[in-house]
Amino acid sequence: MSEELTPLERAVVALSRKDPVSSLRPNSRKRGWILGLPTAPLPLANPRLEALRRYAILRRVHGAARIGAERERLQETGFSRQKIEEVDELVDPSRKERRARSRAEGNLFIFDGSCFPAVRWN
């Protein structure tokens, strides 16, 4: 199986950027209609793509801290770790830059001379 997201999977991630967290609750569409609020999008018919949409929304809103269970659920539906990493980068583009920067900074030794006494010029 390919290790890249398909165009359909990328489209699901792109569409999830505008979905609120309330769209993940059951009956949120009915509740919105009764209360006169904007209705939430319907869940996707494909369970695999709905798991991807759910993961992308929660990743965007909560970050990496509270999505362990959703990550496992996404792996159970057939997404590899590489695909999940790609989803993470699509949801949070600055993540890739931070990872590259931290790797580069980890290899450097920065010496600023602060351990020496200051020179006094009279």
Side-chain angles (χ1 to χ4, degrees), residues 35-95:
L35 297 174
L37 303 171
T39 58
L42 290 171
L44 299 174
N46 184 330
R48 187 171 186 269
L49 295 178
E50 178 59 24
L52 176 62
R53 183 183 83 90
R54 181 179 178 84
Y55 177 80
I57 292 170
L58 292 174
R59 176 71 168 86
R60 174 178 47 90
V61 173
H62 297 300
R66 297 175 21 197
I67 59 166
E70 290 301 321
R71 191 177 189 96
E72 290 174 10
R73 182 181 297 171
L74 201 58
Q75 285 178 335
E76 288 171 5
T77 60
F79 284 92
S80 66
R81 286 187 184 197
Q82 274 187 315
K83 283 188 173 188
I84 295 173
E85 290 292 321
E86 190 176 347
V87 171
D88 291 344
E89 290 169 8
L90 287 172
V91 171
D92 183 14
S94 62
R95 179 179 179 274

Side-chain angles (χ1 to χ4, degrees), residues 4-70:
E4 290 184 357
L5 292 174
T6 65
L8 179 60
E9 293 166 346
R10 285 178 174 269
V12 168
V13 172
L15 290 172
S16 73
R17 288 183 183 165
K18 297 199 184 233
D19 289 346
V21 177
S22 63
S23 69
L24 302 177
R25 282 186 288 220
N27 299 326
S28 64
R29 203 170 154 76
K30 192 183 308 177
R31 185 179 314 130
W33 181 77
I34 292 170
L35 297 174
L37 303 171
T39 58
L42 290 171
L44 299 174
N46 184 330
R48 187 171 186 269
L49 295 178
E50 178 59 24
L52 176 62
R53 183 183 83 90
R54 181 179 178 84
Y55 177 80
I57 292 170
L58 292 174
R59 176 71 168 86
R60 174 178 47 90
V61 173
H62 297 300
R66 297 175 21 197
I67 59 166
E70 290 301 321

Side-chain angles (χ1 to χ4, degrees), residues 93-108:
S94 62
R95 179 179 179 274
K96 186 175 184 179
E97 297 166 10
R98 286 193 309 263
R99 278 186 23 202
R101 194 175 338 126
S102 69
R103 256 188 256 127
E105 289 172 355
N107 296 333
L108 297 177

